[in-house]
Amino acid sequence: MSWRSRRGLCTAAVGLAGALLTGCGGGGGGEAAEVPEGWGTLRTERLTVAYPEGFEETASRDGGPYEVARAALTEKGRMTASMTVEFDFGKGLNDADMAAGGAKARIQLGATPVKTTEIEVAGPGGREEARRIDYSFTFRGEEGGPPEGTEMDGVMLAGVDTEQRPYLITVNSIKGTLSERDVADIAGSVELK
């Protein structure tokens, strides 16, 4: 076998291995995002992300100047989980690691970061790098939310869009409201435009 044939086989093997690993990654497989049946979708000018059944899109609630979309799950008139999408929440955040650093700086005082994981999200040219940041905190008792002192889970999905502009998807929920599968499905549903 010639060196060119061996080189071609090696290149094909590496490409196949990469495709298989990407398919098993933390953000979902394949080139397109996957939205579970029955879920809704927050659609923005730069990305889409799905939210679980029971959530409803709502108006921004003290989301600040960066929030562009919100969905919430309520029970008996109180928020039990929420999802927000923010754009351009910091300057100079032009790659996934920098966006994750900016996101971590926004976690409220007293929260406990658990871990940061490298994930991939769907993009127009293939898979794009992003970061998942898991944390926990105690709710401060804001109006319309759970009682003060309620234990909460938080997840941030941070990255940059196709023009290197930062985005941040934040999901906060009463501990036990969302399963790990729900959170993985949310991450797998992200699709950049």
Side-chain angles (χ1 to χ4, degrees), residues 46-62:
R46 298 186 199 171
L47 63 79
T48 59
V49 59
Y51 52 83
E53 279 188 86
F55 277 67
E56 293 183 2
E57 292 185 45
T58 64
S60 263
R61 208 181 74 172
D62 301 325

Side-chain angles (χ1 to χ4, degrees), residues 82-167:
S82 68
M83 174 191 289
T84 59
V85 178
E86 297 177 69
F87 293 146
D88 306 325
F89 60 93
K91 297 208 179 290
L93 309 178
N94 55 11
D95 67 26
D97 283 324
M98 294 175 85
K104 287 178 187 176
R106 299 176 56 128
I107 296 175
Q108 74 178 35
L109 188 63
T112 305
V114 178
K115 64 180 177 178
T116 300
T117 310
E118 293 183 9
I119 63 170
E120 291 183 336
V121 299
R127 307 302 288 175
E128 297 286 342
E129 198 177 342
R131 299 291 179 267
R132 172 179 163 173
I133 303 154
D134 292 79
Y135 58 98
S136 60
F137 64 101
T138 302
F139 198 75
R140 293 182 180 173
E142 297 166 13
E143 186 179 344
E148 184 174 358
T150 300
E151 293 299 311
M152 305 287 288
D153 288 322
V155 175
M156 291 178 162
L157 306 173
V160 295
D161 65 16
T162 55
E163 295 181 28
Q164 280 68 55
R165 300 171 299 186
Y167 66 84

